[in-house]
Amino acid sequence: MIFKAVGEGRPYPEHRLSSRDWASVPPRQVRLDQLITTKAGLDLNSLLAEDSTFYGDLFPHVVQWRGQLYLEDGLHRALRAALHQRLVLHARVLDLDENGSR
């Protein structure tokens, strides 16, 4: 098993973080098997492209809500980590349990 579950959509409240706001969230290690995806589909061309992680944030975006960790952005990075047999990855984790919805 790679992820805890494969979801479709974001079950947590809107947080309204911009890319700049996400950059201020410090990355930390997250176990892949604790993540619930928010996208059920995957584009293999993006996964296998050499520059697929060139644009955007270096770290995936994860939202913690009601004790669960939701992978909001960075599915391709998480799958690449799994393909390299890594159990954890570094991600920016926004804790909505602690901060409430923004």
Side-chain angles (χ1 to χ4, degrees):
M1 172 170 45
I2 297 172
F3 299 115
K4 182 175 184 176
V6 175
E8 183 63 43
R10 301 172 182 172
Y12 47 86
E14 178 64 42
H15 53 68
R16 297 188 178 108
L17 256 62
S18 68
S19 296
R20 175 172 271 179
D21 294 333
W22 272 106
S24 69
V25 177
R28 66 174 174 104
Q29 284 190 343
V30 177
R31 290 183 52 90
L32 291 173
D33 64 359
Q34 295 301 307
L35 294 174
I36 300 170
T37 69
T38 58
K39 297 176 188 171
L42 173 69
D43 176 15
L44 281 177
N45 286 325
S46 295
L47 176 65
L48 300 173
E50 288 186 28
D51 65 347
S52 69
T53 57
F54 183 74
Y55 299 102
D57 196 345
L58 177 64
F59 302 102
H61 298 169
V62 173
V63 175
Q64 181 174 330
W65 187 62
R66 294 187 175 169
Q68 302 294 330
L69 295 173
Y70 295 93
L71 180 61
E72 179 176 288
D73 183 49
L75 179 58
H76 293 92
R77 287 177 174 85
L79 283 173
R80 278 185 170 205
L83 289 171
H84 285 98
Q85 300 181 345
R86 296 185 193 124
L87 301 177
V88 298
L89 79 153
H90 285 83
R92 298 183 191 280
V93 179
L94 175 65
D95 187 348
L96 292 184
D97 288 340
E98 181 179 295
N99 302 323
S101 63
R102 291 175 177 235

